[in-house]
Amino acid sequence: MKLLTHNLLSSHVRGVGPRGFPLRLEATEVRVIPVEFNPDFVARMIPKVEWAALLEAADHLRLAEVPKGPTQGYEQDETFLRKMHHVLLEVEVVEGTLQCPESGRVFPITRGIPNMLLNEEETQT
Amino acid sequence: MALPCSLNRYLLLMAQEHLEFRLPEIKSLLSLFGGQFTNNQETYGKSPFWILTIPSEDIARNLMKRTVCAKSIFELWGHGKSPEELYSSLRNYPVEKMVPFLHSDSTYKIKIHTFNKTLTQEEKVKRIDALEFLPFEGKVNLKKPQHIFSVLEDYGLDPNCIPENPHNIYFGRWIADGQRELIESYSVKKRHYIGNTSMDAGLSFIMANHGKVKKNDIVFDPFVGTGGLLIASAHFGAYVYGTDIDYNTVHGLGKASRKNQKWRGPDENIRANLRQYGLEKYYLDVLVSDASKPSWKKGTYFDAIITDPPYGIRESTRRTGSQKEIQKGIEKCPESHVPVSLNYHLSDMFFDLLNFAAETLTLGGRLVYWLPVYTPEYTEEMVPWHPCLKLISNCEQKLSSHTARRLITMEKVKNFENQDQYSHLLSDQFLPYQGHNSFREKYFSGITKRIAKEEKSSQE
């Protein structure tokens, strides 16, 4: 699971609503795989990123060199975009967990794939 | 070397399959590239010859880089219902538009295409000779000409009734071919990872085109299965997400769908499918998730949602339920929770899908999905609607004598506010909509026979 994805996920346990974001990320196995750098795509993603959630997740994965926020004129800032490209797209959690901050419910990540299924009792009506 | 000119006329030579899907594909692509669809004929119907006006050759070329419904495009120089009409039409074509392609330094060749008839070589040569009045000054080069001109003769659509003379003759400068070769190169037959209901390659590209997918988009499939629909979007430069309720399918485990193969191999999963075509860089993530209970945060970040939801026939419709109902037939699933198998009524599923699309699509983004219909009872009012989504097209593909599926394309035209979730309940369309719930029964039953019997007895 990439950090871009983590930034888009929220818990849907019954009753938590917006307090289900962001999910707390823990990882027991992480890998870094190179992905071709596409500055236009990365620049498009910047406005959609919730920075506090990203920084928290990156911190749990002990990543270094994570920008603290978008720079002025980031669309043309290649250094910034390359760092964001790495953080959002090249770091993958292979085994780990995502935890709902409100209910404590844990969603496992196995072989890089999160399992977000809940029982009927746990979900929103 | 663009000449300043008003809208040019082009001739599209269309492939003769998926007839209903062709016009929405061309319209969607033209709007994607800044052209607007204007045409000189009210409808094209079944004809493979479409004349349309396009603002520039660039737009025409961009169109051809995407379409799988069109074989080729020509800059139309003349046409008529007879050779005489054609020649007269050619004489009326502005010479200054011809000259750049006919000057003495250039090379060219002329091809004759006939549709629904075969000509002898001699007959073809006669037709080329008849065009001598055109101001060709360049040299003929049959192997690698700079410019190719084509005469296209239309002898109708009925192979059992071939007319002596063509209905229409067209003359144009060949510009580009479409992307029909993708159908073969992305064929499901050669794909590493397939499922029971993997989408035919041609249709998956048509869906991506109806969805106006473009480079750097994020495309999502909430019923991703083996990822076939994601492949088409990734090919067009979009980054892709998928979710599915079936753990085994998402992970690439369990029984294989290929004959002669028992279990899925290690190279069989969604990511491997993208890797097979060199598209792995567009893979974002896949998740095991229930589409009726999505895990996405509030916001709009999908540029297109392109999907083939289950119809309840070859794959079941499911959503998470209580622990009491355990689904049969899940192999190799170590996790205890696939507490699945509530009957997910089809109408609820489409309602959820449209709501989800209205919430998470960017403004102008598209939802493209298949709607199964029981043909004897189908009416247009049954197509699900939503106040935030505008219906763009509705194309039928027959499945059997009494069933079909319709490719529905919708565009988000209004931002989502909470109350929109419930407005469908106010519509009297809500009732006919329920008909989808028994689609599975109707598909399998001989209900058509029963209706016929009832009608007969009521007439007696």
Side-chain angles (χ1 to χ4, degrees):
Chain A
M1 185 201 68
K2 298 178 198 258
L3 288 186
L4 174 64
T5 310
H6 167 265
N7 207 262
L8 297 176
L9 291 178
S10 179
S11 163
H12 55 293
V13 170
R14 190 204 304 265
V16 305
R19 297 179 308 281
F21 178 89
L23 294 161
R24 194 192 142 91
L25 175 64
E26 295 294 344
T28 51
E29 188 184 334
V30 175
R31 66 174 183 168
V32 173
I33 53 144
V35 175
E36 186 180 309
F37 175 58
N38 178 350
D40 294 331
F41 179 71
V42 181
R44 264 199 100 211
M45 294 303 108
I46 300 303
K48 302 181 207 264
V49 170
E50 301 259 3
W51 284 93
L54 178 67
L55 293 175
E56 194 189 317
D59 190 54
H60 283 224
L61 299 186
R62 288 190 274 281
L63 298 182
E65 292 228 47
V66 182
K68 299 277 184 280
T71 58
Q72 188 79 279
Y74 67 82
E75 293 97 328
Q76 278 75 44
D77 185 344
E78 190 181 317
T79 318
F80 169 80
L81 290 176
R82 278 190 181 274
K83 286 187 182 164
M84 291 308 298
H85 166 80
H86 178 76
V87 169
L88 290 173
L89 301 177
E90 292 187 323
V91 177
E92 293 191 1
V93 176
V94 180
E95 302 287 328
T97 55
L98 296 162
Q99 185 176 40
C100 174
E102 179 80 0
S103 69
R105 180 31 156 114
V106 170
F107 301 96
I109 302 173
T110 320
R111 279 184 290 265
I113 298 173
N115 185 336
M116 310 304 292
L117 295 180
L118 290 172
N119 300 326
E120 172 88 340
E121 296 84 38
E122 295 176 285
T123 59
Q124 312 263 22
T125 37
Chain B
M1 289 202 60
L3 291 172
C5 54
S6 56
L7 296 180
N8 279 318
R9 293 206 307 167
Y10 292 85
L11 177 72
L12 267 176
L13 177 62
M14 305 300 289
Q16 292 295 83
E17 66 170 355
H18 303 311
L19 300 185
E20 275 189 43
F21 297 75
R22 305 181 302 179
L23 189 56
E25 196 218 30
I26 300 298
K27 280 183 167 173
S28 297
L29 292 176
L30 281 176
S31 102
L32 183 58
F33 296 119
Q36 240 213 310
F37 189 78
T38 58
N39 64 313
N40 303 322
Q41 302 160 228
E42 301 80 52
T43 74
Y44 297 113
K46 298 195 158 104
S47 168
F49 299 100
W50 294 15
I51 296 178
L52 51 155
T53 40
I54 299 177
S56 75
E57 189 169 312
D58 273 345
I59 293 178
R61 286 183 187 278
N62 283 332
L63 167 66
M64 298 316 281
K65 287 191 191 137
R66 288 286 297 254
T67 176
V68 292
C69 291
K71 288 183 175 172
S72 314
I73 198 168
F74 305 86
E75 180 182 55
L76 189 65
W77 286 17
H79 70 107
K81 295 192 183 310
S82 67
E84 292 66 42
E85 272 188 35
L86 170 67
Y87 305 145
S88 148
S89 167
L90 280 170
R91 287 194 180 92
N92 285 330
Y93 190 75
V95 171
E96 65 271 15
K97 283 193 186 178
M98 290 191 191
V99 158
F101 309 103
L102 304 177
H103 67 75
S104 47
D105 291 340
S106 65
T107 57
Y108 73 97
K109 82 169 177 184
I110 300 181
K111 288 163 73 164
I112 314 285
H113 303 269
T114 52
F115 296 86
N116 201 30
K117 188 169 192 147
T118 323
L119 296 181
T120 63
Q121 193 57 23
E122 206 189 302
E123 288 172 307
K124 289 190 180 182
V125 169
K126 263 174 57 183
R127 282 154 169 79
I128 295 179
D129 289 342
L131 294 168
E132 268 174 351
F133 67 94
L134 290 174
F136 286 100
E137 281 174 37
K139 284 216 219 353
V140 172
N141 181 329
L142 295 178
K143 287 229 169 94
K144 271 194 156 183
Q146 281 171 292
H147 305 293
I148 299 176
F149 299 94
S150 293
V151 176
L152 300 105
E153 297 190 354
D154 173 14
Y155 289 86
L157 298 168
D158 186 353
N160 298 320
C161 179
I162 303 175
E164 178 65 35
N165 295 313
H167 299 309
N168 292 290
I169 316 177
Y170 307 90
F171 180 91
R173 175 175 66 93
W174 176 82
I175 294 189
D177 287 339
Q179 301 302 309
R180 290 188 61 73
E181 66 204 10
L182 293 179
I183 298 170
E184 183 54 39
S185 46
Y186 280 88
S187 161
V188 171
K189 289 185 251 186
K190 305 184 208 162
R191 197 167 305 157
H192 290 157
Y193 183 42
I194 59 168
N196 295 339
T197 54
S198 287
M199 184 70 53
D200 155 74
L203 282 172
S204 67
F205 285 106
I206 287 175
M207 289 174 79
N209 284 335
H210 281 208
K212 286 176 73 169
V213 170
K214 55 194 182 304
K215 253 172 63 111
N216 302 330
D217 273 358
I218 295 188
V219 174
F220 174 55
D221 183 352
F223 301 97
V224 71
T226 55
L229 297 181
L230 298 185
I231 294 173
S233 291
H235 175 81
F236 291 138
Y239 290 76
V240 295
Y241 274 119
T243 62
D244 203 286
I245 202 171
D246 188 307
Y247 183 96
N248 284 345
T249 311
V250 178
H251 280 264
L253 303 167
K255 285 209 160 133
S257 286
R258 286 207 147 87
K259 212 172 129 174
N260 302 331
Q261 191 186 339
K262 187 131 195 269
W263 300 106
R264 289 178 165 146
D267 194 29
E268 291 190 58
N269 55 58
I270 296 164
R271 189 171 200 155
N273 265 349
L274 288 169
R275 189 181 306 133
Q276 176 184 356
Y277 302 111
L279 300 171
E280 196 178 349
K281 65 182 172 190
Y282 296 112
Y283 174 91
L284 289 175
D285 269 303
V286 294
L287 298 89
V288 183
S289 169
D290 179 344
S292 72
K293 299 174 178 99
S295 306
W296 304 97
K297 75 178 180 193
K298 196 160 152 58
T300 61
Y301 29 79
F302 295 131
D303 298 290
I305 295 172
I306 301 183
T307 191
D308 183 21
Y311 317 149
I313 306 298
R314 289 183 288 164
E315 309 275 17
S316 56
T317 50
R318 293 176 288 168
R319 64 177 164 188
T320 43
S322 68
Q323 287 287 358
K324 294 179 218 151
E325 302 181 39
I326 312 285
Q327 170 143 44
K328 297 177 219 150
I330 295 265
E331 291 112 346
K332 293 190 177 179
C333 175
E335 244 96 296
S336 60
H337 57 277
V338 185
V340 173
S341 193
L342 258 192
N343 273 336
Y344 192 7
H345 282 167
L346 283 176
S347 59
D348 286 347
M349 180 172 71
F350 294 113
F351 171 60
D352 286 341
L353 180 62
L354 265 64
N355 241 8
F356 178 77
E359 276 193 82
T360 58
L361 278 174
T362 53
L363 204 59
R366 287 195 171 184
L367 166 66
V368 183
Y369 72 95
W370 287 100
L371 181 73
V373 302
Y374 178 67
T375 317
E377 288 176 13
Y378 170 73
T379 64
E380 261 187 66
E381 285 74 37
M382 286 184 158
V383 176
W385 72 280
H386 193 287
C388 298
L389 306 172
K390 173 180 161 196
L391 180 67
I392 302 290
S393 63
N394 170 356
C395 308
E396 187 196 51
Q397 183 192 35
K398 285 199 181 7
L399 297 175
S400 73
S401 58
H402 54 283
T403 60
R405 60 180 178 179
R406 291 181 161 268
L407 188 65
I408 308 293
T409 301
M410 307 186 88
E411 186 170 300
K412 179 169 172 178
V413 294
K414 180 171 160 288
N415 279 318
F416 184 88
E417 285 140 51
N418 251 323
Q419 55 266 33
D420 292 330
Q421 270 191 56
Y422 302 105
S423 39
H424 81 291
L425 292 171
L426 304 169
S427 143
D428 22 324
Q429 187 217 18
F430 181 64
L431 288 171
Y433 197 13
Q434 296 292 333
H436 287 296
N437 293 339
S438 44
F439 180 73
R440 188 188 160 86
E441 292 155 29
K442 290 171 182 167
Y443 184 92
F444 287 118
S445 81
I447 202 169
T448 343
K449 289 189 196 153
R450 205 184 75 207
I451 291 177
K453 257 172 101 178
E454 282 168 1
E455 278 174 359
K456 191 170 174 225
S457 60
S458 73
Q459 280 161 17
E460 277 158 3

